[in-house]
Amino acid sequence: MTTLDDLPNLDANLFEIPNLERLGLTAGNTQAPKILLLYGSLRERSFSRLATEEAARLLNAMGAETRIFDPRELPLPDTEDASHPKVEELRQLAQWSEGMVWCSPERHGAMTGIMKAQIDWIPLALGGVRPTQGKTLAVMQVCGGSQSFNTVNQLRILGRWMRMLTIPNQSSVPKAFKEFDDNDRMKASPFYDRIVDVMEELVKFTLLVRDRSSLLTDRYSERKESAEELSKRVNQRAI
């Protein structure tokens, strides 16, 4: 569990942990929100990974349980069977989670192939159950140069396609190589504060949605389909 001592850039007097009472939820699931974090670079000093680790620390301090997926050795989509150990790990984490954080570098004006490959390996359905539907999502990007929003905009499109509830706030860190110290911790700055904002909002939305997800995503058209028919449709080999 991360403590405020591990977060020297925070003002402890202003830092708040979202809770059910303040959200107007007097009853419900009191377990820690389960958040999966994905990042989109394999570099030894990956700034998307460092930003993701910073986000995980904040989520832990807010009472969430986190898992960071390491994309190394994840095969390209369709080059291996879904029984590949890294694919199985990713899919199990997707099912485990209640919410996700996606953080990618921007490369040639877009998300990286590493980021997209992870999302592509998460199916729309597993045995008729959608592993991402109704789950919350926060999107972030790191930039090598000036601030851009191309990647977070693309991630939002993917989140919508995966039927996730993408929160309004987002983070884009320009010249990311200037924003981390020699200990690979993010420096105090408005960009750090924005990540705090995004993680706080993600926890709030996850708490609001968690006991209502199945109701919010229940659809007339899908009630007409059996689980077997739904699985066949969303897992078809050819579009």
Side-chain angles (χ1 to χ4, degrees), residues 34 49 77 96 102 106 127 133 140 159 181-182 203 209 225 233 238:
K34 296 178 287 189
R49 175 176 58 79
W96 164 85
W102 295 350
E106 183 162 309
Q133 176 166 289
M140 307 196 305
D181 63 24
D182 292 339
V203 173
V209 168
E225 285 185 289
R233 176 168 60 81

Side-chain angles (χ1 to χ4, degrees), residues 13-14 50 75 79 98 122 135 156 208 232-234:
N13 295 317
L14 300 176
L50 297 183
T79 61
E98 297 177 88
I122 302 173
K135 297 183 178 183
R156 285 186 176 277
L208 284 168
K232 287 180 180 179
R233 176 168 60 81
V234 300

Side-chain angles (χ1 to χ4, degrees), residues 31-95:
Q31 293 182 337
K34 296 178 287 189
I35 308 296
L36 169 63
L37 299 96
L38 307 179
Y39 60 91
S41 171
L42 300 181
R43 290 180 175 177
E44 182 176 353
R45 193 169 191 244
S46 161
F47 294 110
S48 64
R49 175 176 58 79
L50 297 183
T52 296
E53 291 173 349
E54 214 58 65
R57 293 185 187 98
L58 291 164
L59 289 167
N60 291 153
M62 294 175 194
E65 182 180 357
T66 61
R67 300 284 187 276
I68 299 176
F69 178 73
D70 182 351
R72 287 176 296 183
E73 300 181 12
L74 180 71
L76 288 174
D78 303 326
T79 61
E80 295 282 351
D81 189 82
S83 61
H84 187 283
K86 291 297 291 186
V87 177
E88 286 190 339
E89 178 189 354
L90 176 59
R91 292 186 173 189
Q92 288 170 5
L93 287 171
Q95 289 183 296

